[in-house]
């Protein structure tokens, strides 16, 4: 009988010991996110208020709201949270925010948000690692390298012993400082970006390998010696389709390898594409990265901006488009998702000029026009100076009479692969039909031209058919669907299209790097542009 209490006491001591070991082995990770894709040629800067607004993705969130708001979403942070849920991990959420791509991030916005993140992480105790959900192409007013500067500020606070892993957008301009100050980087492998959450999960798996290694992972960082036009970065087309297909096979002998195509409309020294790789053997890591770089260089001639003039695009679309198989025209250079104003009128003018029928363009950003349409009501006719208020120099509003066909509150539930389940908040929206005789000043008896414009109060690229359906437009029933987007529209619109045409119209997102007035590119890139 005397043995039983001893056994109980022994079992309790064993369980207590196991609990202590489990507590010691728990991995504590601070998590934060700061997203902006900066088009340095955009006319307007991006203020702090742009990071606070909830436009579909959450506005600035802190603490536990980071977990509850982002876990369900197709974002890097959401994927990281889900991947660690079943692990012995304690996440310390600090802050997360995103703003629609536009011009330079103001110094005020950058300092306020970076301080929130850095100071919050610095207050964490017994920290094993940091995960940052970043974009990779942020350019504040005071520095060319927003993400690199954030990493520098963090390293000053936490030192070199805390592992830092980062997930980035496919369009990241990865700088030497970003590669040096982080322990690991994972990058989206799809454009349109349907693997954002998956990339966050890969960041966790990379971090696990880094933490399990006796020393930090060996790393390789290589820059591509030429610029990749944004429209040729589509991973469903050559050469990106073939290049990205190689990565899983190459990764079998490494911890990780990824390819960033870069964001060309950023006039910075380290603009451009790059490769990052991590492994347990330095020579193998470097050789694999170089092998992939050689493949990218071999495909250089396939990376070219293939754009049609606005008139040519419309004329082709008129000859081929029909209900059930419309032609989709991408107004790629006015893509709000790449810093375009979303309110240029070049493609609209071409549609009317060529007398296109059964055509719709969306979404044009003009909150004033949307408000006037809502005030007038469905069926009203309005004389408007539509758009042309925020675009590049020389872009003017399109002045004409319009019929208000439909109105909506702009709360759009997306159904396409990239944003499925996300509710966009585009403010008051209106579907306007352009009346004939546009710009003549005498439209009293004019008839509708057959060209309609979906107008939104919030600047957002048209990447989901739901953004038109909310206004009663069924895209597949049109002959021509024109979208203010570069590539993200493809996942949802390409399946219904008989053809996709990329049009060259004025906008801040100039698609051919040879036509971009760079001032700060490094010499090797300037030389390739001059040679091309």
């Amino acid at each position: 009988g005397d043995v039983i209490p001893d056994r109980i006491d022994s079992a309790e001591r064993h369980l207590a010991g196991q609990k202590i070991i489990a507590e010691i082995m728990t991995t504590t990770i601070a998590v934060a996110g700061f997203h902006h894709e900066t088009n340095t040629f955009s006319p307007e800067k991006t203020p702090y208020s742009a990071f606070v607004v909830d436009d579909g993705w959450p506005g600035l969130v802190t603490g536990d709201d980071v977990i509850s708001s982002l876990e369900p979403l197709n974002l890097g942070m959401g994927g990281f949270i889900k991947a660690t849920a079943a692990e012995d991990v304690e996440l310390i959420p600090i802050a997360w925010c995103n703003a629609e791509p536009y011009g330079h991030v103001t110094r005020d916005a950058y300092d306020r948000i970076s301080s929130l993140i850095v100071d919050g992480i610095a207050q964490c105790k017994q920290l094993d690692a940091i995960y940052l959900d970043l974009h990779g192409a942020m350019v504040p007013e005071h520095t060319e390298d927003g993400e690199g500067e954030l990493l520098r500020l963090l390293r000053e606070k936490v030192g070199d012993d805390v592992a830092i892993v980062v997930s980035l957008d496919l369009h990241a301009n990865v700088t030497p400082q970003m590669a040096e100050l982080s322990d690991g980087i994972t990058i989206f492998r799809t454009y349109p970006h349907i693997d954002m959450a998956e990339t966050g999960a890969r960041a966790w798996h990379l971090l696990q390998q880094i933490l399990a290694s006796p020393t930090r992972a060996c790393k390789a960082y290589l820059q591509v010696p030429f610029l990749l036009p944004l429209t040729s970065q589509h991973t469903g087309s050559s050469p990106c389709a073939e290049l990205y297909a190689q990565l899983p096979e190459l990764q079998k002998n490494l911890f990780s390898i990824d390819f960033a195509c870069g964001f060309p409309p950023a006039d910075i020294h380290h603009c451009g594409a790059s490769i990052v790789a991590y492994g347990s053997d330095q020579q193998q890591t470097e050789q694999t990265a170089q092998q992939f770089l050689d493949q990218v260089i071999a495909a250089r001639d396939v990376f070219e901006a293939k754009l049609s003039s606005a008139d040519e695009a419309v004329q082709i679309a008129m000859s081929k488009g029909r209900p059930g198989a419309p032609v989709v025209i991408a107004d790629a250079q006015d893509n709000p998702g790449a810093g375009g104003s979303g309110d240029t009128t070049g493609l609209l003018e071409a549609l009317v000029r060529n007398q296109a029928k059964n055509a719709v363009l969306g979404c044009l950003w003009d909150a004033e026009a949307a408000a006037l349409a809502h005030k007038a009501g469905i069926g009203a006719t309005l004389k408007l100076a539509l758009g042309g208020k925020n675009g590049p120099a020389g872009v003017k509003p399109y002045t004409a009479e319009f019929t208000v066909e439909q109105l909506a509150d702009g709360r759009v539930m997306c159904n396409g692969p990239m944003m499925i389940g996300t509710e966009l908040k585009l403010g008051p929206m209106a579907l306007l039909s352009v009346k004939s005789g546009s710009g003549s000043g005498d439209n009293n008896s004019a008839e509708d031209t057959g060209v309609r414009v979906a107008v939104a109060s919030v600047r957002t690229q048209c990447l989901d058919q739901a953004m038109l359906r909310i206004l009663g437009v069924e895209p597949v029933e049109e002959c021509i669907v024109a979208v203010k987007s570069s590539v993200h529209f493809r996942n949802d619109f390409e399946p219904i299209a008989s053809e996709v045409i990329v049009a060259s119209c004025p906008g801040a997102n100039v698609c051919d790097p040879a036509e971009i007035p760079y001032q700060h590119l490094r010499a090797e890139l300037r030389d390739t542009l001059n040679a091309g």
Side-chain angles (χ1 to χ4, degrees):
D2 295 337
V3 177
I4 294 176
D6 290 341
R7 288 179 176 173
I8 294 174
D9 185 53
S10 176
E12 289 176 347
R13 287 198 304 272
H14 175 72
L15 290 173
Q18 289 295 100
K19 183 178 180 181
I20 292 171
I21 292 171
E23 290 175 351
I24 292 173
M25 294 181 67
T26 298
T27 303
T28 304
I29 307 171
V31 298
F34 190 4
H35 279 243
H36 194 258
E37 184 177 64
T38 306
N39 183 326
T40 61
F41 301 97
S42 291
E44 300 291 334
K45 290 183 170 58
T46 305
Y48 177 77
S49 59
F51 292 93
V52 176
V53 65
D54 178 355
D55 57 2
W57 284 346
L60 177 63
V61 288
T62 59
D64 291 340
D65 288 342
V66 173
I67 305 294
S68 59
S69 298
L70 300 175
E71 183 176 11
L73 301 181
N74 179 25
L75 291 168
M77 182 64 76
F80 190 89
I81 293 168
K82 288 179 181 176
T84 57
E87 305 286 349
D88 196 0
V89 169
E90 178 190 3
L91 297 183
I92 305 177
I94 306 298
W96 187 96
C97 63
N98 170 79
E100 187 76 5
Y102 218 14
H104 288 86
V105 176
T106 64
R107 178 70 182 264
D108 170 69
Y110 185 84
D111 286 350
R112 290 169 71 176
I113 297 168
S114 61
S115 294
L116 179 65
I117 292 172
V118 173
D119 293 345
I121 291 176
Q123 294 173 17
C124 298
K125 297 179 181 179
Q126 297 180 333
L127 199 61
D128 296 302
I130 298 167
Y131 164 66
L132 298 176
D133 178 15
L134 307 177
H135 184 283
M138 184 195 310
V139 186
E141 291 178 301
H142 63 293
T143 176
E144 289 190 352
D145 185 6
E147 287 85 358
E149 176 66 5
L150 179 63
L151 286 163
R152 186 190 68 80
L153 294 170
L154 268 175
R155 284 296 183 201
E156 284 185 352
K157 294 288 188 178
V158 304
D160 295 331
D161 293 337
V162 177
I164 301 178
V165 294
V166 181
S167 63
L168 298 177
D169 193 285
L170 178 142
H171 308 301
N173 291 319
V174 184
T175 66
Q177 183 171 230
M178 292 163 62
E180 178 186 354
L181 296 181
S182 62
D183 294 286
I185 295 173
T186 60
I187 300 169
F188 302 165
R189 294 176 176 177
T190 61
Y191 182 33
H193 307 324
I194 59 174
D195 69 330
M196 294 183 284
E198 181 182 328
T199 303
R202 287 196 292 111
W204 162 239
H205 298 314
L206 175 57
L207 177 59
Q208 284 180 299
Q209 294 177 89
I210 291 170
L211 293 176
S213 300
T215 59
R216 285 287 193 263
C218 301
K219 67 175 70 173
Y221 163 75
L222 298 172
Q223 291 178 302
V224 176
F226 55 89
L227 293 172
L228 281 54
L230 196 67
T231 49
S232 69
Q233 296 178 16
H234 176 221
T235 55
S237 305
S238 292
C240 279
E242 294 81 10
L243 289 169
Y244 279 95
Q246 295 181 39
L247 292 179
E249 183 65 28
L250 292 175
Q251 188 169 306
K252 288 182 178 179
N253 297 317
L254 301 174
F255 293 168
S256 176
I257 181 169
D258 273 307
F259 174 40
C261 287
F263 187 61
D267 189 10
I268 62 173
H269 186 76
H270 289 294
C271 177
S274 59
I275 296 151
V276 290
Y278 304 90
S280 58
D281 180 89
Q282 186 65 41
Q283 182 178 10
Q284 184 179 53
T285 303
E286 291 177 355
Q287 287 179 346
T288 306
Q290 183 63 51
Q291 176 185 343
F292 188 80
L293 176 60
D294 292 342
Q295 295 298 314
V296 176
I297 293 173
R300 178 181 174 181
D301 291 343
V302 190
F303 283 109
E304 57 183 79
K306 301 173 183 177
L307 280 67
S308 302
S309 70
D311 287 320
E312 181 184 10
V314 170
Q315 290 162 14
I316 293 172
M318 290 172 63
S319 69
K320 296 184 177 181
R322 64 187 188 280
V327 170
V328 175
I329 304 176
D331 193 359
Q333 297 193 146
D334 191 37
N335 171 21
S341 62
D343 76 338
T344 66
T345 56
L347 187 52
L348 173 60
E349 292 174 359
L351 288 166
V352 177
R353 182 169 56 246
N354 288 279
Q355 300 181 12
K357 303 297 181 184
N358 205 15
V360 63
L361 181 148
C363 293
L364 190 142
W365 176 39
D366 193 327
E368 181 182 358
L372 290 171
H374 275 256
K375 183 177 180 180
I378 294 174
T381 297
L382 298 174
K383 181 72 172 289
L384 296 171
L386 185 65
K389 300 174 178 65
N390 302 281
V395 173
K396 298 179 180 179
Y398 186 79
T399 302
E401 285 195 341
F402 300 86
T403 299
V404 181
E405 286 200 7
Q406 190 58 264
L407 301 170
D409 63 5
R411 299 181 74 92
V412 180
M413 183 60 70
C414 294
N415 297 306
M418 180 176 170
M419 301 290 287
I420 187 168
T422 300
E423 184 183 56
L424 302 178
K425 300 174 179 66
L426 304 183
M429 297 182 70
L431 181 67
L432 305 178
S433 179
V434 184
K435 298 185 76 67
S436 61
S438 295
S440 68
D442 183 14
N443 293 298
N444 293 330
S445 60
E447 297 180 353
D448 291 338
T449 61
V451 176
R452 297 180 293 172
V453 187
V455 179
S457 297
V458 173
R459 186 178 62 92
T460 305
Q461 69 172 305
C462 190
L463 49 68
D464 197 293
Q465 292 184 57
M467 298 169 72
L468 299 177
R469 287 178 177 143
I470 193 175
L471 289 168
V473 175
E474 181 51 60
V476 74
E477 296 176 359
E478 302 294 317
C479 291
I480 301 173
V481 179
V483 294
K484 286 189 175 290
S485 180
S486 297
V487 172
H488 279 320
F489 71 92
R490 286 183 179 268
N491 270 152
D492 203 29
F493 285 89
E494 203 164 28
I496 69 168
S498 59
E499 187 172 343
V500 171
I501 305 171
V502 182
S504 176
C505 304
N509 176 39
V510 177
C511 290
D512 186 349
E515 297 180 1
I516 299 177
Y518 292 109
Q519 300 294 319
H520 304 294
L521 285 184
R522 59 191 186 276
E524 67 171 343
L525 295 186
R526 290 199 305 270
D527 292 344
T528 59
L529 290 176
N530 294 334

